[in-house]
Amino acid sequence: AVLGPNGAGKSTLLKALAHLLRPWTGTLYLDGVPLTGLGRATRARRVAYLPQQSPPVAVTVYEAVLLGRLPHLGWQVADADLALVDDILAHLGLSAFAGRLCSELSGGELQKVLIGRALAQTPRLLLLDEPVNHLDLANQLDVLALIRKTARDRDLAALVVLHDLNLALRFADHFLLLDGAGGHDAGAMTTLTPEQIERVYRVSVVRHDLAGHSLFIPR
């Protein structure tokens, strides 16, 4: 989970990792390979990026997910590509929606389709910028649980920008905390202490364990 106040650079970081922005200094590595020197198609086969806003278009759910195969396609779509799309739709619980237009879906359903499109790239790294923004609580929990399960089942890394600290605590394994002034902290659950949260967000909080989950509550 990538955390921090508005303007801290969370979205900028993801865009740099997706090679939509070039970093002024330093080199980006994935699995020990520098991303900068890779061609666009090769990079798209390793990194998938889901921005904050992806408006629905008038294509079917099946077609939308199949678009994620573009970095891998030759002159035509192979049977293996179609089989992969079928597998992703089943994994996301979208098989029954395959023929529906994306413009007819609810927010939660559309978000799953966009995740499916990203998974069709078969990336090693999945970048998601506020994937539960504007979703109701049930869909927030559903989508984040799906991202976590997908990352584990498919052995990939998911870097997710979140604003809700308690959702981050519930679903993330590691945390990157940006303070908006060029500083950061990174690590496991112990990184998110009340002192760190107060330093970064300027809000005094206490941490409680309830029903098997850790929660931050403003004082």
Side-chain angles (χ1 to χ4, degrees):
V2 182
L3 306 170
N6 292 335
K10 303 182 296 297
S11 295
T12 299
L13 172 64
L14 259 64
K15 289 177 181 177
L17 292 172
H19 211 258
L20 298 176
L21 296 175
R22 290 184 179 272
W24 289 338
T25 60
T27 304
L28 302 170
Y29 290 90
L30 179 62
D31 290 332
V33 177
L35 292 176
T36 308
L38 299 179
R40 181 178 298 178
T42 301
R43 192 165 53 247
R45 290 193 289 267
R46 301 189 184 192
V47 181
Y49 169 67
L50 182 59
Q52 289 184 21
Q53 295 183 335
S54 297
V57 294
V59 298
T60 67
V61 167
Y62 196 95
E63 291 166 337
V65 175
L66 183 59
L67 283 172
R69 295 301 297 159
L70 283 176
H72 301 269
L73 295 182
W75 287 103
Q76 61 184 4
V77 178
D79 289 342
D81 298 308
L82 300 178
L84 178 62
V85 172
D86 289 335
D87 176 64
I88 290 172
L89 291 177
H91 176 78
L92 299 179
L94 292 171
S95 297
F97 295 84
R100 290 267 300 274
L101 292 176
C102 292
S103 54
E104 298 174 350
L105 301 179
S106 69
E109 292 163 350
L110 178 61
Q111 199 69 344
K112 291 179 183 179
V113 173
L114 297 175
I115 292 170
R117 185 181 66 190
L119 292 177
Q121 295 177 223
T122 57
R124 294 290 300 125
L125 174 62
L126 188 59
L127 305 171
L128 304 110
D129 195 352
E130 299 185 34
V132 296
N133 211 16
H134 307 305
L135 297 183
D136 61 44
L137 179 58
N139 276 305
Q140 288 179 14
L141 296 173
D142 191 24
V143 167
L144 287 176
L146 180 63
I147 293 169
R148 180 182 176 90
K149 183 177 186 302
T150 298
R152 291 182 169 182
D153 291 350
R154 297 178 179 264
D155 191 30
L156 57 87
L159 199 63
V160 184
V161 171
L162 292 172
H163 278 295
D164 190 316
L165 294 174
N166 292 326
L167 285 177
L169 283 172
R170 187 183 185 97
F171 291 104
D173 301 301
H174 296 86
F175 307 88
L176 175 61
L177 193 60
L178 305 179
D179 65 10
H184 69 275
D185 292 287
M189 187 76 73
T190 53
T191 303
L192 295 185
T193 64
E195 293 76 21
Q196 289 286 59
I197 298 303
E198 182 172 0
R199 179 183 67 81
V200 170
Y201 288 94
R202 305 293 189 266
V203 175
S204 179
V205 298
V206 292
R207 182 167 170 170
H208 288 286
D209 292 320
L210 182 65
H213 298 286
S214 293
L215 300 171
F216 282 119
I217 301 173
R219 293 182 184 273

